[in-house]
Amino acid sequence: MEPRLTGINRREALIYLGYRGGALEGVEEELERCEELVLKTARPRAVWRRFALLPDGSLEGADFRPEGEDVQALLAESREAVLLAATLGAEIEALVRRTQVRDMGRAMLLDACASAAIENVCDNLCADLAAELAPLHLTDRFSPGYGDLPLSCQADFFRLLDIPRRIGVSLSPGGLMLPQKSVTALLGLADRPQPRRSGDCAVCGRFEDCSLRKEGIRCGRN
Amino acid sequence: MGETEFTLLDGAMGTMLQAAGLPAGTLPETWNITRPEEVTAVHRRYVEAGSRVLYANTFGVNRLKTAGCGYSVEELVAAGIRAARAADRGEGVRVALDVGPLGQLLEPLGSLRFEEAYDIFKELVLAGEAAGADLVVFETMSDLYEMKAAVLAAKENSRLPIWSTMTFEQSGRTFLGTTVPSMALTLTGLGVDALGFNCSLGPAELLPLAEELRRWTDLPLILKPNAGLPDPATGAYALQAEDFARQLVRGAELGVTVLGGCCGTGPDYIRALGRELAGRKPGERPAPDRRGLCSASRTVPLDGRVRVVGERINPTGKKRFQQALRERDMDYILQRGVEQQDAGADILDVNVGLPGLDEPALMRETVKALQAVVDLPLQIDSSNPAAIEAGLRAVNGRAVVNSVNGDRETLEAVLPLCKKYGAAVVGLCLDKNGVPRTAEERLAIARRILAAAEAYGIPREDVLIDCLTLTVSAQQEQAAETLKALRTVSGELGLHTVLGVSNISFGLPAREQITVSFLTQALAAGMDLPIVNPNQAAVMDAVAAFRVLSGQDPNSAAYIERFAAAPAGEPKPRTGEPMSLETAVAKGLGAEARALTEQALESMEELEVVNRLLIPALDRVGERYERQEIFLPQLMSAASAACEGFEAVKARMARRGAGTVSKGKILLATVKGDIHDIGKNIVRVVLENYGYTVLDLGRDVPAEEIVRTAIQEDVKLVGLSALMTTTVPSMEETIKALRASGHACKVLVGGAVLTPEYARQIGADFYAKDAKQSADIARQVLG
């Protein structure tokens, strides 16, 4: 199962840029060029692994229990969990950095397109996983830093998936991933179809201060 | 295995220890101390399987990774070497200090400094040599820069032989973009003893890479592949020992002499490999047929085809550039770099020599900053050996030094540096007596330089001769002498030649005619490395045409693309279509904004242009942004266009030595622990546009550095950014440290997770929701 980058959701990219409606004079063409460039430059990679879930909510043989009520609620009906990590690679990062030197506006568009692109890679990966793991059902994906799942458990993802060696992503001392356009996530695997919670702002770690939510906009990402 | 010309390595260690009971989550290297007999037992199984070089169980030891495990680096390394040595029962096994990646990314992608990485490797190498290792192996690296730090640390602090292997993907690149030629050129140049690949792929997938590698180096080659590709769901490897060995033997046929296994392999694999290799001889290796210069991700072969060296990073005769150097305005220099790459340069000359400045430090800083945004090989241009060394050390890839000449002193000072760092070198055909008048005399100097270089072990392909251009209006007969010298050096000596051509036309009208004509003649005489201004379209047009006529541009493809892509008249301002500066800024048209600013400067003072035209134009865009008529990228495009206008103002002020227009200094930094800096960079561009001098300390900046700079530079407004909830505490600490220092300044904070309430809570004076608001606050604080 190869990671696939199949497209960039323009609405999503615009929301990342703080777009709230209004004229897009000249921006759409530029956005189109940036989308093409991101699709061409990205080298998506992914790694994933299945674990049985023990009754206490920890992953078998992993020395890891995802902490927090949100994630345990997500896994309530699951008997297995899938850990995954995906990245667009270092090239996109270099492209955005380089573009900043001459045209900051364009760099922002590229950055937003890349953010939407890594989500696309994750969406595709989850769809492919769902097909492969049927008849079991996947929950939504849940990342460190969402809700009350602490960012510190990034280290467990890195250890269990061997992320640096497998897909070339490293973890900074502060717990941040490099290249930046990278995602780690956890999903449950259950016998019954699982409720979709995407777009449910209540489980989002930024519920309190999200400026989108205050304006009645949903980013669509938890 | 008996008598053989092959060296058999071992296989995986970690999985073997796990099988022996190493619990998940325990650092394998601690067993060197707590369960050395288990470690020795694994080594012993490999020796019995035929391994004659053992990689000690030290892969993950370094002060970043093993801090807090209870043992020092020295203890873990010494015990690891000892445990491997104990597996030798008279077989004459060699023990390697095994060193893996540090686990933190180096600059520019990460924030670990090259110098710090060097220091960490140095500690390891010293410990390994003291413990009696026979050699050091740096393996599983995907960052060429990290590998360079490691190799230099070993070279400069020990006498251990050095083996280097990197981890590639099937695409022929490492995760960080390093290519096989870049690895080969850089590491061969640095003088490692053997190099190759380990991990990531199986033997079959590594073979094409090994085939490529042997074209670029004559060093012994190493292959230590995985047992095939891992299953994505389980991470397990499926290739069986016999198949592994049969596939890997094809590497031996390519001339690879050092072989072993990585992840998923065990003693059976080594035994099978030994059986397959028995009685075989390594395949014949043709002499490498490729040479060149490189960055980590791009190679520029030196094969006689024309390669353009961009000359614009040089302060000589350029007031604005000098000003940028004095003010450490790295952005200005980076723009010159990116601009030249976009214009088609293949190599960038880097000269930052200006009296009164610390040239070595500036060279180091400039090389590092350039590498973050351009991927061209660099030409380190200086007459100061300390600056040359600083540049060569900081380069990620294989550079060329500009220059030496026939004078013995410079040869003795600079050639050893070229040898040590594996750089090519430009030799100028002059000496203490100046530039000789005849081609014959220049040729004699070229021969002298070549002989000296070869005496230092620099191969002749790496000696690039500059026959020197003199001004034709002053010494008319010299143009022909230069061309004559060129023909001989390139034809008879067979050396590559470089030539700076623009000097030829000095003092004449319509200089471009002369320059381009001379360039074309020089190219026809065999000169392959013109040093030019690639932004001059006529120059690059001439190069494009020459490439067609000399057969270097197959099917004229590049030529056709160059001229099909550029509709006539663009991107110069359209005449007859009057546009105001305000419109140009609003529409984000940089070239127009610059031209219109220059026009305005003809009748107005600089400050007037700034205050009456540029800033109001920006304000208007800002207002539209606040009314949500446009959004952030449009605001930023306008800001970038206004930058071009400001650049015209600065250039004019620099020309007449009028100093600078600055409304005050602002310090910006992304706080310690955070590496997301695009937001901070956006704020910087906007603030600069409003006429403030921004001291940008970058990302992941410690509080102490921010406090120190604020005091030293007497900064009254400090802007801090943090993107993650987890790094806001670091912002709070920085503000506390600023307050504790007693330095009077205002603190402005911004970043995705901040709110006005939160900002107050952590002691900030201001919260800015976006770049525009930052500019408003700056105006309130600084005026």
Side-chain angles (χ1 to χ4, degrees), chain A residues 14 19 27 43 45 48-49 93 97-98 100-102 104-105 108 165-166 168 170 173 176 180 206 209, chain B residues 104-105 109 169 171 175 232-233 263 335 342 373 631-632 634 636 640 673 675-677 681-682 752 755:
Chain A
L14 283 169
Y19 179 66
V27 175
R43 287 204 289 147
R45 298 187 201 93
W48 57 280
R49 204 175 146 187
E93 194 118 340
R97 195 155 288 280
R98 180 177 167 190
Q100 286 185 43
V101 175
R102 290 192 83 178
M104 189 56 84
M108 292 182 67
R165 240 189 24 175
R166 294 287 298 278
S170 85
L176 308 179
Q180 293 175 33
R206 295 195 45 205
D209 55 64
Chain B
Q104 296 296 329
L105 276 185
L109 187 56
E169 295 189 286
S171 62
F175 286 135
C263 304
Q335 278 159 11
D342 289 349
V373 296
F631 78 129
L632 201 49
Q634 289 154 304
M636 292 314 299
S640 290
I675 38 100
H676 300 92
D677 62 349
N681 296 344
I682 288 167
T755 60

Side-chain angles (χ1 to χ4, degrees), chain B residues 449-469:
Chain B
I449 293 170
L450 175 61
E454 287 187 311
Y456 278 103
I458 299 168
R460 60 186 294 135
E461 309 89 78
D462 289 341
V463 181
L464 324 175
I465 296 295
D466 187 337
C467 294
L468 299 170
T469 301

Side-chain angles (χ1 to χ4, degrees), chain B residues 92-109:
Chain B
V93 169
R94 278 183 288 166
V95 173
L97 168 69
D98 183 25
V99 180
L102 297 178
Q104 296 296 329
L105 276 185
L106 267 71
E107 53 192 349
L109 187 56

Side-chain angles (χ1 to χ4, degrees), chain B residues 671-674 701-703 720 725-735:
Chain B
V671 297
K672 179 82 192 156
D674 210 326
V701 186
L720 302 175
T725 326
T726 48
T727 50
V728 174
S730 161
M731 184 179 258
E732 188 173 5
E733 278 160 35
T734 307
I735 297 174

